[in-house]
Amino acid sequence: AAGVIQSPRHLIKEKRETATLKCYPIPRHDTVYWYQQGPGQDPQFLISFYEKMQSDKGSIPDRFSAQQFSDYHSELNMSSLELGDSALYFCASSSRTGTYEQYFGPGTRLTVT
Amino acid sequence: AQKVTQAQTEISVVEKEDVTLDCVYETRDTTYYLFWYKQPPSGELVFLIRRNSFDEQNEISGRYSWNFQKSTSSFNFTITASQVVDSAVYFCALSEARSKTSYDKVIFGPGTSLSVIP
């Protein structure tokens, strides 16, 4: 069965650079969630989208922005990267009209040097 | 506000021992979902179980079992006859129910790092 796809899987950036993470939800899923997991931490909710509209917002820095496109894929844009942005970023998708699960992608590991 | 507490930061057991991971949650929602996820060293989040708040039946799946007690707001996870491959970080999590068949963003606990020693 198709799973959530995240790209790239690994990304190395320098401080003050910009990064874009991409998430491709499971087909027919209309909702996307982004989570950030710092080293030794639990995943923290950043932002979610339903039908291309932002549906909820967590502790997402102002330097970060995200959107969901017409094909339901989502991108998380991070500017002016800081060392503290080094983390594992998970995307998850679900369907409001379907049943249950929020399926997590494999994550993108971002390292800021 | 929703909150998940996992008091055990790290646990070490010898292979074949049983181990219980504790989870206590707080929520004002009357309907919610509880989860356990496993995160091996490779980093992916492996879904283990989902329970909804109106189903307090305990569940067993192979060597895994879960004890949900609404009266104490606990959702504990037991691994029987632990194996080295069980070594991972385990997260208990909570989500508000959006409907009877879907839920909202997931709130994770701090995780318990389990090491199973051969």
Side-chain angles (χ1 to χ4, degrees):
Chain A
V4 177
I5 297 171
Q6 291 188 246
S7 68
R9 293 294 308 278
H10 300 272
L11 188 59
I12 299 175
K13 290 284 185 178
E14 294 188 355
K15 280 195 306 183
R16 293 180 289 279
E17 284 191 323
T18 296
T20 297
L21 309 186
K22 296 184 179 182
C23 169
Y24 297 87
I26 291 171
R28 291 181 293 282
H29 278 193
D30 49 27
T31 305
V32 167
Y33 301 82
W34 285 97
Y35 297 84
Q36 177 192 54
Q37 184 180 22
Q41 306 291 317
D42 55 284
Q44 297 280 323
F45 169 72
L46 290 178
I47 195 167
S48 62
F49 293 87
Y50 167 63
E51 283 289 346
K52 294 152 278 184
M53 299 286 289
Q54 181 182 306
S55 55
D56 197 0
K57 197 172 179 181
S59 305
I60 183 169
D62 292 340
R63 300 177 290 107
F64 292 11
S65 65
Q67 57 181 324
Q68 185 179 32
F69 295 86
S70 57
D71 64 351
Y72 295 102
H73 94 272
S74 178
E75 294 183 5
L76 177 65
N77 298 293
M78 299 176 284
S79 62
S80 302
L81 287 169
E82 302 173 355
L83 295 178
D85 297 329
S86 294
L88 192 51
Y89 290 83
F90 289 104
C91 169
S93 75
S94 67
S95 170
R96 288 198 182 190
T97 56
T99 57
Y100 294 123
E101 302 315 339
Q102 193 176 119
Y103 293 88
F104 281 84
T108 292
R109 190 173 295 278
L110 171 67
T111 302
V112 181
T113 62
Chain B
Q2 298 177 316
K3 184 180 179 182
V4 178
T5 302
Q6 295 178 256
Q8 304 147 310
T9 305
E10 294 181 6
I11 300 177
S12 285
V13 298
V14 176
E15 200 171 20
K16 295 183 185 166
E17 286 185 344
D18 298 347
V19 58
T20 295
L21 309 183
D22 297 332
C23 172
V24 173
Y25 63 92
E26 297 175 31
T27 181
R28 293 195 192 122
D29 300 320
T30 53
T31 54
Y32 50 89
Y33 287 91
L34 295 165
F35 311 84
W36 277 95
Y37 288 88
K38 173 182 179 180
Q39 187 172 46
S42 53
E44 73 270 24
L45 284 170
V46 179
F47 169 83
L48 296 178
I49 189 172
R50 167 192 24 85
R51 297 303 279 179
N52 60 47
S53 53
F54 32 91
D55 181 2
E56 283 192 75
Q57 279 193 356
N58 292 328
E59 183 155 340
I60 297 174
S61 177
R63 296 185 296 108
Y64 295 169
S65 62
W66 291 270
N67 181 274
F68 175 27
Q69 292 198 334
K70 216 166 172 178
S71 60
T72 56
S73 297
S74 65
F75 186 42
N76 296 336
F77 173 31
T78 297
I79 302 174
T80 303
S82 60
Q83 299 176 1
V84 173
V85 293
D86 295 328
S87 296
V89 178
Y90 291 85
F91 291 101
C92 180
L94 168 69
S95 183
E96 175 188 354
R98 189 190 304 282
S99 70
K100 286 188 177 179
T101 59
S102 67
Y103 50 90
D104 204 357
K105 62 182 180 286
V106 179
I107 308 299
F108 290 84
T112 296
S113 178
L114 174 65
S115 295
V116 180
I117 303 164

